[in-house]
Amino acid sequence: MTATGTCGTRMFSAYDGTALAYHLVGAGEPLICLPGGAMRASAYLGDLGGLSAHRQLVLFDLRGTGDSAVPDDPATYRCERLVDDVEALREHLGLERVDVLAHSAAGSLGMLYAAAHPGRVRRLALVTPTAWAAGVPVTAEDRLSAARARRGEPWFEEAYAALEAQLRGEETTGSAYPFFYGRWDEAARAHAAASPRQLNRAAAQVFATQSAFDPPATRAALADWAAPVLVLAGERDGVPTPERATEVAALFPEAELAVQPGGGHFPWLDDPGWFVRTVGAFFDAGLRGVPANGVR
């Protein structure tokens, strides 16, 4: 597949015959975008704050989400099993090597894909990634500590109580959604409201709790992989915190860490300009830069 400005929804068949969907947004060289959730339809990525003006975004609906079909075997929702779907997408696109952006829970998927097919990935951006596949945890204290830094917000008390209840596994009528955003404004509220209907919760349980990870093997594979990697964290995010994102970046020999000022878990909503400049420059192989104080 060559660079094109064509947009729309396309379908292809996975290795097991499951019909999978992807959405083309924007113009330029293709950039495969793996959504998090876990197992949330790719629609929540939007145009990644305007990144579609620089690259054609290939927004992949993982099996059982968005316009992709539900597979016959629920075990194929496991993160390590989804690697084969990403490779099938690359083959379908006809690309020898691909640039990949993985958000949130898909951080593990992006890392596993790079470990399994190192010669197929040219550049990898991990945006506010969780790295369960490599054994980097996201702890309850990580989330609570990041949340307490928002104590001055008018919604803090209700959201913090909801977060504590959620982490204890208790039902709550409150919402911890505000902590996922750098600004809890109208755009953030609309984005959060769309989440329940975009998530496949049953698939997420398989992805997150039944996946068979081998962190030592994944770490060893990534330590030998010399392709450029960008790990982008939000200053206000707890999933992961900037400190955990530093651990993720340390897994790669050619990684740079960027911490978006005031950013949350969906940083392209908080400051689209900063996000697009940072990610766009990373994927532009013609540009050269150096990291300074965590910013490229």
Side-chain angles (χ1 to χ4, degrees):
M1 179 179 177
T2 57
T4 175
T6 302
C7 299
T9 301
R10 310 291 172 84
M11 305 295 297
F12 70 102
S13 292
Y15 62 92
D16 61 352
T18 303
L20 301 180
Y22 62 97
H23 310 274
L24 300 178
V25 179
E29 191 173 356
L31 171 63
I32 292 179
C33 301
L34 305 179
M39 304 305 289
R40 184 172 177 178
S42 65
Y44 83 92
L45 296 172
D47 68 352
L48 287 172
L51 188 61
S52 59
H54 305 272
R55 300 293 295 264
Q56 182 178 67
L57 307 183
V58 182
L59 305 177
F60 189 23
D61 282 340
L62 301 177
R63 54 180 54 214
T65 71
D67 291 322
S68 289
V70 173
D72 293 332
D73 181 4
T76 59
Y77 289 134
R78 283 169 34 175
C79 183
E80 73 277 11
R81 300 282 295 274
L82 295 173
V83 169
D84 289 336
D85 289 348
V86 180
E87 176 62 0
L89 174 59
R90 182 199 63 78
E91 292 178 346
H92 167 76
L93 295 173
L95 299 171
E96 186 69 19
R97 301 179 71 204
V98 291
D99 288 336
V100 177
L101 182 150
H103 175 245
S104 187
S108 285
L109 176 56
M111 288 167 31
L112 288 180
Y113 181 69
H117 302 280
R120 299 301 189 184
V121 182
R122 184 169 50 194
R123 288 174 176 257
L124 173 65
L126 300 172
V127 177
T128 59
T130 49
W132 304 309
V136 179
V138 172
T139 69
E141 183 51 36
D142 285 344
R143 297 188 63 183
L144 291 170
S145 177
R148 286 193 292 269
R150 313 288 297 275
R151 194 177 297 276
E153 303 279 5
W155 42 261
F156 174 81
E157 295 296 339
E158 180 180 352
Y160 192 79
L163 178 60
E164 287 185 308
Q166 182 185 101
L167 294 173
R168 290 194 299 265
E170 301 172 359
E171 291 190 9
T172 175
T173 57
S175 172
Y177 274 129
F179 293 121
F180 282 100
Y181 299 87
R183 298 192 310 273
W184 187 235
D185 55 14
E186 184 177 347
R189 290 191 291 271
H191 192 264
S195 178
R197 63 179 179 270
Q198 293 172 338
L199 279 169
N200 183 332
R201 296 188 181 279
Q205 289 298 311
V206 178
F207 179 101
T209 63
Q210 297 182 25
S211 291
F213 296 132
D214 185 348
T218 300
R219 286 172 173 262
L222 297 178
D224 289 334
W225 188 55
V229 176
L230 170 68
V231 179
L232 192 151
E235 180 185 28
R236 295 182 167 184
D237 195 13
V239 192
T241 61
E243 291 76 18
R244 293 291 185 191
T246 301
E247 294 181 41
V248 176
L251 298 172
F252 303 90
E254 296 293 335
E256 59 188 74
L257 173 68
V259 179
Q260 181 166 319
H265 195 61
F266 307 94
W268 60 90
L269 293 177
D270 299 313
D271 188 341
W274 193 98
F275 179 85
V276 170
R277 286 193 301 273
T278 302
V279 177
F282 169 73
F283 280 118
D284 187 341
L287 296 180
R288 293 293 182 266
V290 294
N293 296 324
V295 179
R296 188 172 193 270

